[in-house]
Amino acid sequence: MTSLEALMLAGVGPPAVLLAVLGGASLLNRPVPERWTGRLAAAAMAISCTAFCVALLLYATTRTGGMVLYGSWSTSHAGGIAIEFLLDGTSLGFAALTSAIAGVVAAFSNRYLHREPGYNRYFFLLAMFVTGMLLVALAGNMEVLFAGWELVGLSSALLVAFFHERPAPVTNALRVFTVYRISDAAMLSAAVLLHHVAGSGSLALLFGGADAASTAGLTGTDATMIAVLLIVAVAGKSALLPFSGWLPRAMEGPTPSSAIFYGALSIHAGAYLLLRAAPIIEASSLVAETIIVVGLLTALHGTFVGRACPDAKNSLAYAAMAQLGIIFIEIGFGWYQL
């Protein structure tokens, strides 16, 4: 095992262990005391952030990343389900940013939710979310990406319904969950199509551009279909039109979760995915134009509606939506560094 792999595991491990500890303790009806939950969450995020920052520095000096395979399931036939991670500057950078923001939010949440009846439940869902985001950031194939995508969606919907004693959060959570199901179905369809055509779910076929795709037998039509499915998946998760209606409704959750999910990380996961898949998007002008149009309409919608919002949280939600639209326009035009 290389140093970079060890650091990657040290980064993903603490949030996953926190998820297992808090979930296992709750299942055994022995919830972790509040003072320990906060400390465990702070330690997990700090270790994760430190590990990814060191890994990013190590990659910048050695350039020794690439695909990492940790075994596979269902290997009795060709194209079995593998567990792969992609370590490069973009994935490690996004993972470091994820754990850093999660650490700040965890520290604030420890005080904001002090003596709240759902305190442990909140941190369990926060750990689930961070674990899912790290899997999305580091995914080397569609299987790992889909697992992370599902964890992010499930934790997000449950946190919208956090105050379940009131009807509005539950109703809005069901709305969010419904849109996420459409997004997840598109993501799963893309994964199945990629497996069917190329015999592999490796994201190197999408992230490697036309050369990697043609080597695996992925034609221009197949690549376009996969890219369109990814756009639908991303539009649902990132609150782009026509799926943007769920974003203001998601503000029924606790303020810290609204900040990390719908202001910082969750809605930007789709932008990150399209940025990684930029080489395959460049191969189709239709896909690039679709991203630009959707981004432009979303930016205009978020700007105009946000200026008419009477409360701060909804105004911030629409501001984030408008900013996302601008990001997608930049991706569509190929302005990746910007």
Side-chain angles (χ1 to χ4, degrees):
M1 179 183 296
T2 65
S3 299
L4 197 61
E5 292 178 46
L7 287 169
M8 186 271 292
L9 292 176
V12 177
V17 170
L18 178 65
L19 173 65
V21 169
L22 296 180
S26 297
L27 285 175
L28 296 174
N29 201 24
R30 294 288 189 272
V32 179
E34 182 178 310
R35 64 181 183 276
W36 286 109
T37 299
R39 292 173 183 174
L40 287 173
M45 303 310 166
I47 294 171
S48 179
C49 182
T50 302
F52 282 122
C53 287
V54 175
L56 184 60
L57 181 62
L58 181 62
Y59 175 81
T61 55
T62 63
R63 301 288 177 177
T64 56
M67 285 289 185
V68 177
L69 178 64
Y70 287 105
S72 57
W73 301 340
S74 183
T75 56
S76 59
H77 63 281
I81 299 175
I83 303 172
E84 296 180 2
F85 295 96
L86 177 60
L87 304 182
D88 61 12
T90 305
S91 62
L92 293 173
F94 193 65
L97 179 66
T98 295
S99 54
I101 294 177
V104 173
V105 171
F108 178 76
S109 303
N110 184 36
R111 295 162 177 79
Y112 184 85
L113 294 169
H114 178 53
R115 294 187 177 179
E116 179 72 37
Y119 182 93
N120 274 50
R121 174 162 50 92
Y122 171 87
F123 276 95
F124 168 77
L125 294 174
L126 178 64
M128 181 188 296
F129 170 78
V130 175
T131 303
M133 281 298 300
L134 293 177
L135 291 178
V136 170
L138 300 166
N141 61 8
M142 292 295 276
E143 291 80 10
V144 175
L145 175 63
F146 187 73
W149 200 258
E150 286 294 292
L151 290 178
V152 169
L154 179 61
S155 58
S156 299
L158 290 175
L159 273 167
V160 174
F162 184 80
F163 300 110
H164 51 75
E165 65 276 5
R166 295 189 287 112
V170 177
T171 302
N172 291 337
L174 288 174
R175 174 67 176 267
V176 173
F177 192 68
T178 300
V179 175
Y180 277 2
R181 290 293 85 191
I182 298 173
S183 171
D184 296 342
M187 178 65 73
L188 182 60
S189 299
V192 171
L193 180 58
L194 183 63
H195 258 288
H196 175 71
V197 174
S200 169
S202 176
L203 291 178
L205 303 177
L206 302 181
F207 299 167
D211 292 339
S214 61
T215 302
L218 201 63
T219 66
T221 303
D222 296 328
T224 300
M225 290 178 63
I226 292 173
V228 169
L229 288 170
L230 287 179
I231 291 174
V232 175
V234 163
K237 193 75 78 176
S238 295
L240 301 179
L241 288 176
F243 304 110
S244 55
W246 66 263
L247 185 57
R249 291 176 171 83
M251 296 301 161
E252 287 287 353
T255 295
S257 67
S258 298
I260 192 173
F261 291 167
Y262 314 117
L265 293 174
S266 178
I267 57 173
H268 289 85
Y272 169 78
L273 179 59
L274 282 191
L275 188 63
R276 297 311 308 268
I280 209 72
I281 292 173
E282 291 174 349
S284 172
S285 59
L286 175 62
V287 172
E289 291 165 1
T290 301
I291 293 173
I292 293 170
V293 171
V294 172
L296 177 61
L297 293 176
T298 302
L300 292 173
H301 174 70
T303 299
F304 291 135
V305 178
R307 292 186 178 186
C309 283
D311 62 285
K313 286 187 78 172
N314 276 339
S315 180
L316 287 170
Y318 281 105
M321 187 189 301
Q323 180 61 37
L324 267 172
I326 295 173
I327 291 174
F328 278 88
I329 293 172
E330 293 165 352
I331 293 174
F333 277 116
W335 300 338
Y336 308 128
Q337 295 302 320
L338 179 61

